[in-house]
Amino acid sequence: MLPYSSIGDLATTLLQYLAVIGIVALGCLPSLTVSDFRARIDSWPTDRFPVNYLLLVGVLALGQGVAIAAGWQVLHIGSTQNDPKFRAGRLIAVLIAYPITVLGLGTIGVRLYCWQRSMEQWLTLRTIAGLGVAAGMYIVTLMGAAIVFFIAALFFALPT
């Protein structure tokens, strides 16, 4: 049997992952208003929309986590013993750059895929604009969540 502290640590970690996935899922909701994108999510990779949406959210949440972890190491966002300064501007830059990068690379990838296969270009300028607005709303959602988590962290760090 596992000690109580290990179960508590495991539950806390699981809740943190679920919170991140929930925030990403909330941030992805505006993209469903883009009809061409919604039609693609309805039918690919499975024929079940909820499964496809959860796959999309899972991939984006994993990518967001990797981007933050890589930014933490490469850009030295967090504080250390030698350098106690927390660089919030760099964290905000990583949070903003990720959805813009995903939108840009996704647009280029879909356009090249359709061009190579001689398929109809379903990614029109209107669809790209709609996904751009959805990416902006995703950024706003992440910034709001980051502010809430920052305020919560301040209250938890207060001496009792």
Side-chain angles (χ1 to χ4, degrees):
M1 183 159 214
L2 291 171
Y4 179 72
S5 64
S6 296
I7 293 172
D9 292 342
L10 184 66
T12 302
T13 302
L14 181 63
L15 284 175
Q16 289 171 347
Y17 287 143
L18 287 175
V20 168
I21 290 172
I23 291 167
V24 172
L26 184 65
C28 289
L29 281 177
S31 66
L32 298 179
T33 61
V34 180
S35 58
D36 288 341
F37 185 73
R38 168 90 186 225
R40 299 294 178 207
I41 293 295
D42 272 339
S43 62
W44 188 85
T46 68
D47 288 336
R48 294 186 176 93
F49 174 73
V51 173
N52 295 342
Y53 185 69
L54 287 176
L55 286 171
L56 170 73
V57 167
V59 167
L60 287 176
L62 180 66
Q64 186 77 54
V66 168
I68 289 173
W72 211 272
Q73 294 297 322
V74 174
L75 299 175
H76 305 289
I77 293 171
S79 60
T80 61
Q81 293 289 351
N82 297 335
D83 186 14
K85 184 177 180 185
F86 178 77
R87 293 166 182 86
R90 292 180 184 178
L91 178 62
I92 291 170
V94 168
L95 289 176
I96 291 174
Y98 175 72
I100 293 171
T101 303
V102 167
L103 177 65
L105 292 177
T107 301
I108 292 169
V110 168
R111 288 232 175 224
L112 288 176
Y113 178 79
C114 290
W115 175 71
Q116 181 186 18
R117 305 251 188 225
S118 299
M119 297 169 56
E120 178 188 352
Q121 287 285 347
W122 64 269
L123 202 56
T124 62
L125 290 178
R126 183 177 176 158
T127 305
I128 294 170
L131 290 174
V133 169
M137 294 173 123
Y138 179 85
I139 291 169
V140 169
T141 303
L142 284 180
M143 289 298 132
I147 290 169
V148 168
F149 284 144
F150 180 71
I151 291 170
L154 284 177
F155 280 110
F156 283 118
L158 290 174
T160 55

